[in-house]
Amino acid sequence: MEQMPGLFDGSPLERPVTCPACGKARGDCACPRAASGQLCRPADQPARVGREKRRGKWVTVVTGLDPIATDLKALSKTLKARCSAGGSTTDDGIEVQGDHRDAIVAYLKTLGYPAKPSGG
Ligand SMILES: [Zn+2]
């Protein structure tokens, strides 16, 4: 008896592409990805939290976030609410008015970002 040709006998390219992080098909995967399509989870984004004095006032500056994989606007909103301060997003980060460096480092760590304080 001759074997039926299998539907998935072909090259590995014919298999559905699954996400290595969540195991779902790429189309169903909601894992954060960078612009390149590479997985980019919070753990892959080494956030740096520094502070600068501008016109005599401290500004906490968060950099090192991937602007595609991380929703900077949403994160900025959360940080501003947690710090009860104003702020804004930049091309690759977030600025919060006032010196909230330690609080922001601690909070980013709870989200899974390997955050570190930077600068003096
Ligand atoms: Zn995934």
Side-chain angles (χ1 to χ4, degrees), residues 43-115:
D44 302 318
Q45 300 172 54
R48 291 293 172 268
V49 185
R51 53 187 176 182
E52 294 173 12
K53 212 161 203 180
R54 291 185 199 156
R55 293 179 193 170
K57 289 182 178 176
W58 287 110
V59 178
T60 306
V61 181
V62 185
T63 55
L65 302 171
D66 187 285
I68 305 293
T70 289
D71 185 342
L72 292 180
K73 282 209 163 66
L75 184 56
S76 160
K77 202 173 168 185
T78 306
L79 293 179
K80 285 188 284 184
R82 289 185 72 89
C83 300
S84 303
S88 58
T89 58
T90 61
D91 287 346
D92 66 342
I94 293 167
E95 295 182 355
V96 179
Q97 305 297 322
D99 177 9
H100 305 286
R101 185 172 61 173
D102 294 343
I104 289 177
V105 167
Y107 179 63
L108 289 175
K109 281 182 179 170
T110 69
L111 298 179
Y113 295 91

Coordinates of all heavy atoms in Angstrom, one line a residue, residues 43-115:
A43 N 12.8 42.5 29.3 CA 14.1 42.0 29.7 C 15.2 42.3 28.7 O 16.4 42.3 29.0 CB 14.0 40.5 30.0
D44 N 14.8 42.6 27.4 CA 15.8 42.9 26.4 C 16.0 44.4 26.2 O 16.8 44.8 25.3 CB 15.2 42.4 25.0 CG 14.9 40.9 25.1 OD1 15.7 40.1 25.6 OD2 13.9 40.5 24.5
Q45 N 15.4 45.2 27.1 CA 15.6 46.6 27.0 C 16.2 47.2 28.3 O 15.6 47.4 29.2 CB 14.2 47.3 26.8 CG 13.5 46.8 25.5 CD 12.1 47.3 25.4 OE1 11.8 48.5 25.5 NE2 11.1 46.3 25.3
P46 N 17.6 47.3 28.2 CA 18.3 47.8 29.4 C 18.0 49.3 29.7 O 18.8 50.1 29.2 CB 19.7 47.5 29.1 CG 19.8 47.5 27.6 CD 18.5 47.1 27.1
A47 N 17.0 49.6 30.4 CA 16.6 51.0 30.6 C 17.7 51.7 31.5 O 18.2 51.1 32.5 CB 15.3 51.1 31.3
R48 N 18.0 52.9 31.2 CA 18.9 53.7 32.0 C 18.1 54.9 32.5 O 17.4 55.6 31.7 CB 20.1 54.2 31.2 CG 21.0 53.1 30.9 CD 21.7 52.5 32.1 NE 22.5 51.3 31.9 CZ 22.0 50.1 31.9 NH1 20.8 49.9 32.3 NH2 22.8 49.1 31.7
V49 N 18.1 55.2 33.8 CA 17.4 56.3 34.4 C 18.3 57.3 35.0 O 19.0 57.0 35.9 CB 16.4 55.8 35.5 CG1 15.5 56.9 35.9 CG2 15.5 54.6 34.9
G50 N 18.4 58.4 34.3 CA 19.3 59.5 34.8 C 18.5 60.7 35.2 O 17.3 60.7 35.1
R51 N 19.2 61.7 35.7 CA 18.5 63.0 36.0 C 19.4 64.1 35.5 O 20.6 64.1 35.6 CB 18.2 63.0 37.4 CG 19.4 62.8 38.3 CD 19.0 62.7 39.8 NE 20.2 62.4 40.6 CZ 20.2 62.2 41.9 NH1 19.1 62.3 42.6 NH2 21.3 61.9 42.5
E52 N 18.7 65.1 35.1 CA 19.4 66.3 34.6 C 18.8 67.5 35.2 O 17.6 67.5 35.5 CB 19.2 66.4 33.1 CG 19.9 65.4 32.3 CD 19.5 65.5 30.8 OE1 18.9 66.5 30.4 OE2 19.8 64.5 30.0
K53 N 19.6 68.5 35.4 CA 19.1 69.8 36.0 C 18.9 70.7 34.8 O 19.8 71.0 34.1 CB 20.0 70.4 37.0 CG 19.2 71.1 38.1 CD 20.1 71.3 39.3 CE 19.2 71.6 40.5 NZ 19.9 71.8 41.8
R54 N 17.6 71.1 34.6 CA 17.3 72.1 33.5 C 16.6 73.3 34.1 O 15.6 73.2 34.8 CB 16.4 71.4 32.5 CG 17.1 70.4 31.7 CD 16.2 69.8 30.7 NE 16.6 68.5 30.2 CZ 15.9 67.6 29.7 NH1 14.6 67.9 29.5 NH2 16.4 66.4 29.3
R55 N 17.3 74.4 33.9 CA 16.7 75.7 34.4 C 16.4 75.6 35.9 O 15.4 76.0 36.4 CB 15.4 76.1 33.7 CG 15.7 76.5 32.3 CD 14.5 76.9 31.6 NE 14.7 76.9 30.1 CZ 13.7 77.1 29.2 NH1 12.5 77.1 29.6 NH2 14.0 77.1 27.9
G56 N 17.4 74.9 36.6 CA 17.3 74.8 38.1 C 16.3 73.7 38.6 O 16.1 73.6 39.8
K57 N 15.7 73.0 37.7 CA 14.8 71.9 38.1 C 15.2 70.6 37.6 O 15.7 70.4 36.5 CB 13.4 72.2 37.6 CG 12.8 73.4 38.3 CD 11.4 73.6 37.8 CE 10.7 74.8 38.5 NZ 9.4 75.1 38.0
W58 N 15.1 69.5 38.5 CA 15.4 68.2 38.1 C 14.4 67.6 37.1 O 13.2 67.8 37.2 CB 15.5 67.3 39.3 CG 16.7 67.5 40.2 CD1 16.6 68.0 41.4 CD2 18.0 67.2 39.9 NE1 17.9 68.1 41.9 CE2 18.8 67.6 41.0 CE3 18.7 66.6 38.8 CZ2 20.2 67.4 41.0 CZ3 20.0 66.5 38.8 CH2 20.8 66.8 39.9
V59 N 15.0 66.9 36.1 CA 14.2 66.1 35.2 C 14.7 64.7 35.2 O 15.9 64.5 35.1 CB 14.3 66.7 33.7 CG1 13.4 65.9 32.8 CG2 13.8 68.1 33.7
T60 N 13.9 63.7 35.4 CA 14.3 62.3 35.3 C 14.2 61.8 33.9 O 13.1 62.0 33.3 CB 13.4 61.5 36.3 OG1 13.5 62.1 37.6 CG2 14.0 60.0 36.3
V61 N 15.3 61.3 33.3 CA 15.3 60.9 31.9 C 15.5 59.4 31.8 O 16.5 58.8 32.3 CB 16.4 61.6 31.2 CG1 16.5 61.3 29.7 CG2 16.3 63.1 31.4
V62 N 14.5 58.7 31.2 CA 14.6 57.3 31.0 C 15.0 57.0 29.5 O 14.3 57.5 28.6 CB 13.2 56.6 31.3 CG1 13.4 55.1 31.2 CG2 12.7 57.0 32.6
T63 N 16.1 56.3 29.3 CA 16.5 56.0 27.9 C 16.7 54.5 27.9 O 16.6 53.7 28.9 CB 17.8 56.7 27.5 OG1 18.8 56.4 28.5 CG2 17.6 58.2 27.5
G64 N 17.0 54.0 26.7 CA 17.3 52.6 26.5 C 16.1 51.7 26.2 O 16.2 50.5 26.1
L65 N 14.9 52.3 26.1 CA 13.7 51.6 25.8 C 13.6 51.5 24.3 O 13.9 52.4 23.5 CB 12.5 52.3 26.4 CG 12.5 52.5 27.9 CD1 11.4 53.4 28.3 CD2 12.5 51.2 28.6
D66 N 13.0 50.4 23.8 CA 12.7 50.3 22.4 C 11.4 50.9 22.1 O 10.3 50.5 22.6 CB 12.7 48.8 22.0 CG 12.5 48.7 20.5 OD1 11.4 48.9 19.9 OD2 13.5 48.4 19.8
P67 N 11.4 52.0 21.2 CA 10.2 52.8 21.0 C 9.1 52.0 20.3 O 7.9 52.4 20.2 CB 10.6 54.0 20.2 CG 11.9 53.5 19.6 CD 12.5 52.5 20.5
I68 N 9.4 50.9 19.6 CA 8.4 50.1 18.9 C 7.8 49.0 19.9 O 6.6 48.8 20.0 CB 9.0 49.4 17.7 CG1 9.6 50.4 16.8 CG2 7.9 48.6 17.0 CD1 8.7 51.4 16.1
A69 N 8.7 48.3 20.6 CA 8.3 47.2 21.5 C 7.7 47.7 22.7 O 6.8 47.1 23.3 CB 9.5 46.3 21.8
T70 N 8.1 48.9 23.2 CA 7.5 49.5 24.4 C 6.6 50.6 24.0 O 7.0 51.5 23.2 CB 8.6 50.0 25.4 OG1 9.3 48.8 25.9 CG2 8.0 50.8 26.5
D71 N 5.4 50.6 24.5 CA 4.4 51.7 24.3 C 4.9 52.9 25.2 O 4.5 53.0 26.4 CB 3.0 51.3 24.6 CG 2.0 52.3 24.3 OD1 2.4 53.5 24.1 OD2 0.8 52.0 24.2
L72 N 5.7 53.8 24.7 CA 6.3 54.8 25.5 C 5.2 55.8 26.0 O 5.3 56.2 27.2 CB 7.3 55.6 24.6 CG 8.6 54.9 24.2 CD1 9.5 55.9 23.4 CD2 9.3 54.4 25.4
K73 N 4.2 56.0 25.2 CA 3.1 56.9 25.7 C 2.4 56.3 26.9 O 2.2 57.0 27.9 CB 2.1 57.2 24.6 CG 2.6 58.2 23.6 CD 1.4 58.9 22.9 CE 1.9 60.2 22.2 NZ 2.7 59.9 21.0
A74 N 2.1 55.0 26.8 CA 1.4 54.4 27.9 C 2.3 54.3 29.2 O 1.8 54.6 30.3 CB 0.9 53.0 27.5
L75 N 3.5 54.0 29.0 CA 4.5 53.9 30.1 C 4.7 55.2 30.7 O 4.8 55.4 31.9 CB 5.8 53.2 29.6 CG 6.8 53.0 30.7 CD1 6.3 52.1 31.8 CD2 8.1 52.3 30.1
S76 N 4.8 56.3 29.9 CA 5.0 57.6 30.4 C 3.8 58.0 31.2 O 4.0 58.6 32.3 CB 5.2 58.6 29.2 OG 4.9 59.9 29.5
K77 N 2.6 57.7 30.8 CA 1.4 58.0 31.5 C 1.5 57.4 32.9 O 1.1 58.0 33.9 CB 0.2 57.5 30.7 CG -1.1 58.2 31.1 CD -2.2 57.8 30.1 CE -3.5 58.2 30.6 NZ -4.6 57.7 29.7
T78 N 1.9 56.1 32.9 CA 1.9 55.4 34.2 C 3.0 56.0 35.1 O 2.7 56.2 36.3 CB 2.3 53.9 33.9 OG1 1.4 53.4 33.0 CG2 2.2 53.1 35.2
L79 N 4.1 56.3 34.6 CA 5.2 56.9 35.4 C 4.8 58.2 35.9 O 5.0 58.5 37.1 CB 6.5 57.0 34.6 CG 7.2 55.7 34.2 CD1 8.4 56.0 33.3 CD2 7.5 54.8 35.3
K80 N 4.1 59.0 35.1 CA 3.7 60.4 35.5 C 2.7 60.2 36.7 O 2.7 61.0 37.7 CB 3.1 61.2 34.4 CG 4.2 61.7 33.4 CD 3.6 62.6 32.4 CE 2.8 61.9 31.3 NZ 2.3 62.8 30.3
A81 N 1.8 59.3 36.5 CA 0.8 59.1 37.6 C 1.4 58.6 38.9 O 1.1 59.1 40.0 CB -0.3 58.0 37.1
R82 N 2.4 57.7 38.7 CA 3.1 57.2 39.9 C 3.9 58.2 40.6 O 4.0 58.2 41.9 CB 4.0 56.0 39.6 CG 3.2 54.7 39.2 CD 4.2 53.6 39.0 NE 4.8 53.1 40.2 CZ 4.2 52.2 41.0 NH1 3.1 51.6 40.6 NH2 4.8 51.8 42.1
C83 N 4.4 59.1 39.9 CA 5.3 60.2 40.4 C 4.5 61.5 40.7 O 5.1 62.4 41.2 CB 6.5 60.5 39.5 SG 7.5 59.1 39.2
S84 N 3.2 61.5 40.3 CA 2.4 62.7 40.4 C 3.2 63.9 39.8 O 3.3 64.9 40.4 CB 2.1 63.0 41.9 OG 1.4 61.9 42.5
A85 N 3.7 63.7 38.6 CA 4.5 64.7 38.0 C 4.1 64.8 36.5 O 3.5 63.9 35.9 CB 5.9 64.4 38.2
G86 N 4.5 65.9 35.9 CA 4.3 66.0 34.4 C 5.5 65.3 33.7 O 6.4 64.8 34.3
G87 N 5.4 65.2 32.4 CA 6.4 64.6 31.7 C 6.1 64.5 30.2 O 5.1 65.0 29.8
S88 N 7.0 63.8 29.5 CA 6.7 63.7 28.0 C 7.5 62.5 27.5 O 8.4 61.9 28.2 CB 7.2 65.0 27.3 OG 8.5 65.2 27.6
T89 N 7.3 62.1 26.2 CA 8.1 61.1 25.6 C 9.1 61.7 24.7 O 8.8 62.8 24.1 CB 7.2 60.1 24.9 OG1 6.5 60.8 23.9 CG2 6.2 59.4 25.8
T90 N 10.2 61.0 24.5 CA 11.2 61.5 23.5 C 11.3 60.3 22.4 O 10.5 59.4 22.5 CB 12.5 61.7 24.1 OG1 13.0 60.5 24.7 CG2 12.4 62.7 25.2
D91 N 12.2 60.5 21.5 CA 12.3 59.5 20.4 C 12.6 58.1 21.0 O 12.2 57.1 20.5 CB 13.4 59.8 19.5 CG 13.0 61.0 18.6 OD1 11.8 61.3 18.5 OD2 13.8 61.6 17.9
D92 N 13.4 58.0 22.1 CA 13.8 56.7 22.6 C 13.7 56.7 24.1 O 14.4 56.0 24.8 CB 15.2 56.4 22.2 CG 16.2 57.4 22.8 OD1 15.8 58.4 23.3 OD2 17.4 57.0 22.9
G93 N 12.7 57.5 24.6 CA 12.6 57.4 26.1 C 11.5 58.3 26.6 O 10.6 58.7 25.9
I94 N 11.6 58.5 27.9 CA 10.6 59.2 28.6 C 11.3 60.2 29.6 O 12.3 59.9 30.2 CB 9.8 58.2 29.5 CG1 9.0 57.3 28.5 CG2 8.8 58.9 30.4 CD1 8.4 56.1 29.2
E95 N 10.7 61.4 29.7 CA 11.1 62.4 30.7 C 10.0 62.6 31.7 O 8.9 62.8 31.3 CB 11.6 63.6 30.0 CG 12.7 63.4 29.1 CD 13.2 64.7 28.4 OE1 12.5 65.8 28.6 OE2 14.2 64.7 27.7
V96 N 10.4 62.7 33.0 CA 9.4 63.0 34.0 C 10.0 64.2 34.8 O 11.2 64.2 35.2 CB 9.2 61.8 34.9 CG1 8.2 62.1 36.0 CG2 8.7 60.6 34.1
Q97 N 9.1 65.2 35.1 CA 9.6 66.3 35.8 C 9.9 65.9 37.2 O 9.1 65.2 37.9 CB 8.5 67.4 35.8 CG 8.0 67.8 34.4 CD 9.1 68.5 33.6 OE1 9.9 69.2 34.1 NE2 9.1 68.2 32.3
G98 N 11.0 66.5 37.7 CA 11.4 66.2 39.1 C 12.4 65.0 39.2 O 12.6 64.3 38.2
D99 N 12.9 64.8 40.4 CA 13.9 63.8 40.6 C 13.2 62.5 41.2 O 12.9 62.4 42.3 CB 15.0 64.2 41.6 CG 16.0 63.1 41.9 OD1 15.9 62.0 41.2 OD2 16.8 63.2 42.8
H100 N 12.9 61.6 40.2 CA 12.1 60.4 40.6 C 13.0 59.2 40.2 O 12.4 58.1 40.0 CB 10.8 60.3 39.9 CG 9.9 61.5 40.2 ND1 9.3 61.8 41.4 CD2 9.6 62.6 39.4 CE1 8.7 62.9 41.3 NE2 8.8 63.4 40.1
R101 N 14.3 59.4 40.1 CA 15.1 58.3 39.6 C 15.0 57.0 40.3 O 14.7 55.9 39.7 CB 16.6 58.7 39.6 CG 17.5 57.7 38.9 CD 18.9 58.2 38.8 NE 19.5 58.5 40.1 CZ 20.8 58.9 40.2 NH1 21.5 59.0 39.2 NH2 21.2 59.1 41.4
D102 N 15.1 57.0 41.6 CA 15.1 55.7 42.3 C 13.7 55.0 42.2 O 13.6 53.8 42.1 CB 15.4 55.9 43.8 CG 16.9 56.4 44.0 OD1 17.7 56.2 43.0 OD2 17.2 56.9 45.0
A103 N 12.6 55.8 42.3 CA 11.3 55.3 42.2 C 11.1 54.7 40.8 O 10.4 53.6 40.7 CB 10.3 56.4 42.5
I104 N 11.6 55.3 39.8 CA 11.3 54.8 38.4 C 12.2 53.6 38.2 O 11.7 52.6 37.6 CB 11.6 56.0 37.4 CG1 10.5 57.0 37.5 CG2 11.7 55.4 36.0 CD1 10.6 58.2 36.6
V105 N 13.4 53.6 38.7 CA 14.2 52.4 38.5 C 13.5 51.2 39.2 O 13.4 50.1 38.6 CB 15.6 52.6 39.1 CG1 16.3 51.2 39.3 CG2 16.5 53.5 38.3
A106 N 13.0 51.4 40.4 CA 12.3 50.3 41.1 C 11.1 49.9 40.4 O 10.8 48.6 40.3 CB 12.0 50.8 42.5
Y107 N 10.3 50.8 39.8 CA 9.1 50.4 39.2 C 9.4 49.7 37.9 O 8.7 48.7 37.5 CB 8.2 51.7 38.9 CG 6.9 51.3 38.2 CD1 6.0 50.5 38.8 CD2 6.7 51.8 36.9 CE1 4.8 50.1 38.1 CE2 5.5 51.4 36.2 CZ 4.6 50.6 36.9 OH 3.5 50.2 36.2
L108 N 10.4 50.2 37.1 CA 10.7 49.5 35.8 C 11.1 48.1 36.1 O 10.8 47.2 35.3 CB 11.8 50.3 35.1 CG 11.3 51.6 34.5 CD1 12.5 52.3 33.8 CD2 10.2 51.4 33.4
K109 N 11.8 47.9 37.2 CA 12.3 46.5 37.5 C 11.1 45.6 37.8 O 11.1 44.4 37.4 CB 13.2 46.5 38.8 CG 14.6 46.9 38.4 CD 15.4 46.9 39.7 CE 16.9 47.3 39.4 NZ 17.6 47.5 40.7
T110 N 10.0 46.1 38.4 CA 8.8 45.3 38.6 C 8.2 44.9 37.3 O 7.5 43.9 37.2 CB 7.8 46.0 39.5 OG1 7.2 47.1 38.8 CG2 8.4 46.5 40.8
L111 N 8.4 45.8 36.2 CA 7.8 45.4 34.9 C 8.7 44.5 34.1 O 8.3 44.1 33.0 CB 7.6 46.7 34.1 CG 6.7 47.8 34.7 CD1 6.6 49.0 33.8 CD2 5.3 47.2 34.8
G112 N 9.9 44.2 34.7 CA 10.8 43.3 34.0 C 11.9 43.9 33.2 O 12.7 43.2 32.6
Y113 N 12.0 45.3 33.2 CA 13.1 46.0 32.6 C 14.3 45.9 33.5 O 14.2 46.2 34.7 CB 12.8 47.4 32.3 CG 11.6 47.7 31.3 CD1 10.3 47.8 31.8 CD2 11.9 47.8 30.0 CE1 9.3 48.0 30.9 CE2 10.9 48.0 29.1 CZ 9.6 48.1 29.5 OH 8.5 48.3 28.7
P114 N 15.5 45.5 32.9 CA 16.7 45.6 33.8 C 17.2 47.0 33.9 O 18.2 47.4 33.3 CB 17.7 44.7 33.0 CG 17.2 44.7 31.6 CD 15.7 45.1 31.6
A115 N 16.5 47.8 34.7 CA 16.7 49.2 34.8 C 17.9 49.5 35.8 O 18.0 48.8 36.8 CB 15.5 49.9 35.3

